[in-house]
Amino acid sequence: MAKTLFEKIWDQHVVKTIDGGPSVLYIDKHFIHEVTSPQAFKGLEKRGLEVFRPRQIVATADHNVPTVDQHLPIKDELSRMQVQQLIANCAKHGVELYGLGHPYQGIVHVIGPELGITRPGMTIVCGDSHTSTHGAFGAIAFGIGTSEVEMVMATQCLLQSRPKLMRINVEGALNKGVVSKDIILYIIAQISASGATGYFVEFSGSAIRQLSMEARMTICNMSIEMGARGGMIAPDDTTFDYLKDRAFAPKGAEWDTALAGWKELFSDTDAVFDKEIHIDAATIEPMITYGTNPGMGISVTGHIPSETEITETEKPSYLKSLDYMGLKAGSAIKGKKVDYVFIGSCTNSRIEDLRMVAAFVKGRKKSKDIEAWIVPGSKQVEKQAIEEGLDKIFEAAGFFLRQPGCSACLAMNEDKIPAGKYCISTSNRNFEGRQGPSARTLLASPLTAAVAAITGEVADVREYL
Amino acid sequence: MSNQSIHIVSTTAVPVDMENVDTDQIIPARFLKATSRDGFGENLFRDWRYNSDGSPKKEFALNDPAYQGKILVAGKNFGCGSSREHAAWAIKDAGFDVVISSFFADIFKNNALNNFLLPVTVSEGLLKEIFSAIKNNPSALITINLPDQTITLEPTGRKERFEINNYKKTCLLNGYDDIDYLLSIRDEIETFENRHA
Ligand code: SF4
């Protein structure tokens, strides 16, 4: 029988199915971080259990870490305690930890792929919604809550009902200045922040095929922002080339065996999806959000919807969001002054993102009114950026290259956007207060963020290429 | 934790008439630094409930003494965004047993169920009716009957059936949790592992 990519992987991982209920799904890899794991370890200990398969867990510290002076103790007491708790829990339960100071440390969804821990055909979970990122390798990867983290620690399994399946086909060539972040912001704007709830999404089509692994990760990363359980892309030569020789990728004969299996991972031609969406890549322009959910996106040359374009039920949240953002219904977004530029987060902090920004800002200078931060996703990205001399380019352009972590993606560590300020951010969420109480977030691609840093306002990067 | 259960909840409700309520609003990230599950209720909807100086925002329903009860009612796509289970803990800790919406985000729904907080999905029509009924009369009662899988808006008598997976229903009615079940089949999991490797 014809199967989708999702079904092939799912079927290989079902331990059993409860009559009229969920399936017991076996989990190959489990990533943990300091914020959503302490209560799970505690719960486990309360039940008198040990971690069932500690070698299938990898831990890192990312959310709470400062992005300057990482060699010093964390100043905030609660953050420091949470990170220390992770160290203690991992030591006690035999879990590998890439904590602060380790050459592999970084944002959990950046390090898994770059270390070759994330691989095609796997089931991967983490107590973090952007686990969907790992789906870019042709894996079933999704975020879970802390009770589920505890379940996986206790049994390496989860109870899951099979989600519905959606395929989003993006065909054609991308316009100049349009990158993968624009594709996903465009899709979410089209189908809304809840448009894929209940679905697992496979992205396919010629426009997806020609993307690099980094760019694919950006797309899968944000599939959660349209409500999807996860996103995935069938592995191909781009995937295999990326993985080959990574630290934990299989080597020698093991590589050959693995590769043969990975090549079977695609949706059969007559496989059936519950829903299919077709998108013409040529219609996508550089995108930016104006509101307080990621579905509120428009082209940088577009205008904020006026009240008449909004349905009755959407109105309260629409009006609240414009009020929060200090933006006017019906107005253009281009030319809007901004205060901060944040290039980072598990969406856009990989080496390719940094290269893209460096290539654009080389020989240019940031506007004097702008505070521009670049936060690499991991120690490895940071190292490579320095080896390639990108740090010099950023410095000359007036950008501040910080140390790896989640940083200003969420207002949990020291990096916050001040109240009322506008920040063009390459992260994934523009929720109220996400980057700091009363901070105003405009989500965009690294290119659109870079041009804003230079001009001091929302600009169309195509005019500068 | 497996020391609770839900059968019938019949109380007044607190309305949060807003769509796409994300978990960053339910519990902002800066409050996620605790390493235990307790005490999050205090900061439920923190930035909607309090001004930056800590004074309560009068117009927010949770601050209005007229609104009480164990049921929270919210607009479409409730609980979207971050997977933080702290959102479910905060709602439960603040004294709610049920959340009603016309649509829940997936991860939130699972987290809620794992904490004996019942997410009840109703039609858009009923949701509208509930909002107007409780705004007209904050003492309007809503009854959730889990064994029958029904919700009744008492003042109008409108009744609707809601969906819940049979397995989860059994868990909620009996106070079982998933870990108890998974632990009971560890042998089967190990057999699977041998095959899977
Ligand atoms: S970078 Fe942002 S979205 Fe990604 S894991 Fe960190 S906090 Fe979450």
Side-chain angles (χ1 to χ4, degrees):
Chain A
M1 209 190 73
K3 280 185 178 182
T4 64
L5 167 62
F6 179 92
E7 289 166 316
K8 287 180 183 175
I9 304 172
W10 176 272
D11 290 351
Q12 282 171 10
H13 290 84
V14 172
V15 176
K16 66 187 282 187
T17 298
I18 301 172
D19 251 356
S23 295
V24 177
L25 189 71
Y26 189 79
I27 302 303
D28 294 320
K29 265 297 164 218
H30 184 192
F31 293 102
I32 61 171
H33 62 69
E34 76 277 19
V35 182
T36 55
S37 67
Q39 291 88 351
F41 277 113
K42 219 172 241 177
L44 201 70
E45 287 170 6
K46 219 163 137 190
R47 291 172 198 260
L49 298 170
E50 314 225 309
V51 173
F52 183 51
R53 294 290 179 249
R55 298 229 311 250
Q56 283 165 250
I57 309 181
V58 174
T60 190
D62 51 8
H63 285 64
N64 266 316
V65 304
T67 58
V68 289
D69 293 333
Q70 285 185 343
H71 59 289
L72 298 176
I74 301 176
K75 282 192 217 121
D76 180 89
E77 195 195 329
L78 290 173
S79 294
R80 191 174 64 243
M81 274 167 49
Q82 220 173 36
V83 171
Q84 278 169 355
Q85 184 75 56
L86 180 72
I87 297 172
N89 283 333
C90 288
K92 185 166 170 193
H93 292 275
V95 171
E96 184 79 23
L97 167 66
Y98 303 134
L100 269 189
H102 194 286
Y104 291 163
Q105 181 266 338
I107 305 174
V108 61
H109 312 306
V110 174
I111 69 169
E114 77 181 3
L115 292 171
I117 299 171
T118 299
R119 300 198 286 266
M122 282 184 157
T123 47
I124 299 172
V125 296
C126 173
D128 195 287
S129 54
H130 293 99
T131 310
S132 58
T133 313
H134 307 259
F137 289 80
I140 293 183
F142 54 92
I144 56 177
T146 295
S147 295
E148 293 171 312
V149 170
E150 187 181 334
M151 270 170 231
V152 181
M153 284 178 176
T155 65
Q156 206 58 37
C157 286
L158 276 177
L159 284 161
Q160 290 287 306
S161 300
R162 218 202 72 178
K164 287 182 287 181
L165 302 178
M166 183 190 294
R167 179 159 61 185
I168 301 181
N169 304 286
V170 190
E171 296 288 353
L174 289 174
N175 290 312
K176 174 181 88 165
V178 174
V179 294
S180 72
K181 181 67 163 283
D182 300 306
I183 301 180
I184 189 66
L185 285 174
Y186 178 84
I187 295 174
I188 304 168
Q190 292 288 308
I191 74 171
S192 91
S194 60
T197 302
Y199 290 92
F200 216 99
V201 177
E202 179 177 345
F203 297 94
S204 68
S206 57
I208 302 291
R209 282 278 141 250
Q210 54 89 25
L211 295 176
S212 67
M213 283 319 293
E214 281 89 348
R216 292 179 189 186
M217 284 188 253
T218 302
I219 290 191
C220 289
N221 172 277
M222 285 193 75
S223 47
I224 179 76
E225 306 309 337
M226 51 191 186
R229 201 78 180 84
M232 66 199 315
I233 294 172
D236 58 12
D237 287 337
T238 306
T239 322
F240 311 142
D241 292 346
Y242 177 97
L243 280 174
K244 189 129 183 47
D245 302 324
R246 299 259 159 192
F248 296 99
K251 307 269 150 55
E254 273 183 43
W255 169 267
D256 297 335
T257 318
L259 188 63
W262 298 345
K263 288 189 169 165
E264 301 298 313
L265 297 172
F266 52 83
S267 289
D268 297 330
T269 17
D270 36 3
V272 182
F273 290 82
D274 299 290
K275 190 169 181 179
E276 293 223 41
I277 292 177
H278 297 276
I279 286 178
D280 175 5
T283 59
I284 306 175
E285 295 186 76
M287 296 288 293
I288 193 155
T289 64
Y290 63 90
T292 53
N293 80 55
M296 300 170 100
I298 50 177
S299 131
V300 288
T301 56
H303 71 279
I304 296 166
S306 55
E307 245 183 87
T308 50
E309 295 170 82
I310 299 292
T311 67
E312 258 331 291
T313 55
E314 282 171 339
K315 231 172 227 164
S317 37
Y318 158 83
L319 291 173
K320 189 172 193 301
S321 80
L322 287 192
D323 179 50
Y324 180 87
M325 293 296 292
L327 293 172
K328 267 228 293 296
S331 64
I333 195 88
K334 203 175 144 196
K336 170 80 203 150
K337 289 257 172 284
V338 293
D339 309 290
Y340 279 75
V341 167
F342 170 62
I343 292 164
S345 93
C346 57
T347 314
N348 284 119
S349 64
R350 298 182 177 81
I351 189 66
E352 188 179 88
D353 300 308
L354 269 59
R355 285 185 193 135
M356 194 194 304
V357 174
F360 184 81
V361 304
K362 191 169 184 178
R364 291 181 160 123
K365 266 232 164 305
K366 77 164 178 73
S367 152
K368 61 176 182 358
D369 305 325
I370 292 274
E371 186 87 37
W373 293 350
I374 300 199
V375 185
S378 70
K379 286 309 269 186
Q380 298 218 93
V381 171
E382 179 188 42
K383 184 165 162 256
Q384 191 163 353
I386 293 170
E387 277 168 15
E388 294 180 13
L390 307 186
D391 55 334
K392 300 281 180 319
I393 298 174
F394 294 140
E395 201 188 314
F399 284 61
F400 184 4
L401 178 65
R402 304 172 74 97
Q403 290 174 305
C406 292
S407 185
C409 174
L410 93 170
M412 185 157 191
N413 49 68
E414 292 162 8
D415 305 348
K416 293 184 181 67
I417 307 303
K421 297 289 183 200
Y422 290 90
C423 176
I424 294 213
S425 176
T426 67
S427 57
N428 42 54
R429 286 185 175 143
N430 50 359
F431 299 151
E432 285 183 30
R434 174 75 180 185
Q435 296 195 289
S438 301
R440 293 155 161 169
T441 305
L442 303 148
L443 300 175
S445 78
L447 272 183
T448 299
V451 69
I454 306 298
T455 60
E457 58 188 41
V458 177
D460 185 344
V461 70
R462 293 171 295 187
E463 294 167 14
Y464 298 80
L465 291 174
Chain B
M1 306 267 104
S2 44
N3 51 5
Q4 339 182 31
S5 63
I6 298 184
H7 291 263
I8 293 170
V9 180
S10 187
T11 76
T12 51
V14 182
V16 176
D17 191 358
M18 207 53 78
E19 293 192 348
N20 297 311
V21 175
D22 58 78
T23 54
D24 273 82
Q25 305 322 313
I26 299 173
I27 182 93
R30 61 186 190 279
F31 300 112
L32 306 186
K33 295 181 183 182
T35 53
S36 83
R37 286 171 181 247
D38 312 313
F40 289 101
E42 232 175 89
N43 295 312
L44 173 64
F45 291 117
R46 177 74 201 199
D47 296 335
W48 286 0
R49 220 164 128 195
Y50 301 101
N51 294 306
S52 46
D53 63 6
S55 60
K57 294 184 181 175
K58 294 237 162 37
E59 64 287 1
F60 192 61
L62 256 75
N63 291 330
D64 186 339
Y67 293 116
Q68 302 284 342
K70 294 190 166 302
I71 300 174
L72 184 71
V73 190
K76 187 172 111 182
N77 200 25
F78 186 79
C80 58
S82 156
S83 62
R84 59 188 70 159
E85 193 162 315
H86 313 67
W89 299 337
I91 296 172
K92 188 79 187 177
D93 193 56
F96 296 103
D97 286 332
V98 174
V99 188
I100 297 173
S101 175
S102 57
F103 203 88
F104 288 96
D106 280 336
I107 305 181
F108 175 80
K109 197 175 182 176
N110 283 342
N111 287 341
L113 287 166
N114 283 331
N115 288 280
F116 295 86
L117 174 67
L118 179 63
V120 175
T121 308
V122 299
S123 66
E124 294 276 353
L126 178 56
L127 187 68
K128 238 182 169 167
E129 226 173 88
I130 294 176
F131 274 129
S132 67
I134 52 186
K135 279 179 202 163
N136 280 333
N137 176 13
S139 53
L141 280 184
I142 299 173
T143 303
I144 311 289
N145 183 321
L146 179 59
D148 289 353
Q149 292 178 229
T150 55
I151 167 169
T152 311
L153 178 59
E154 300 295 352
T156 65
R158 178 154 168 185
K159 193 171 184 170
E160 210 174 83
R161 199 181 141 77
F162 63 87
E163 290 307 317
I164 181 169
N165 164 321
N166 244 332
Y167 164 82
K168 266 295 161 197
K169 181 174 167 180
T170 314
C171 289
L172 290 182
L173 290 172
N174 299 294
Y176 299 155
D177 73 11
D178 287 357
I179 301 190
D180 298 333
Y181 172 75
L182 289 171
L183 287 171
S184 76
I185 60 158
R186 259 215 206 171
D187 288 353
E188 287 176 69
I189 295 171
E190 284 182 21
T191 313
F192 174 88
E193 280 181 323
N194 293 332
R195 196 153 36 91
H196 182 64

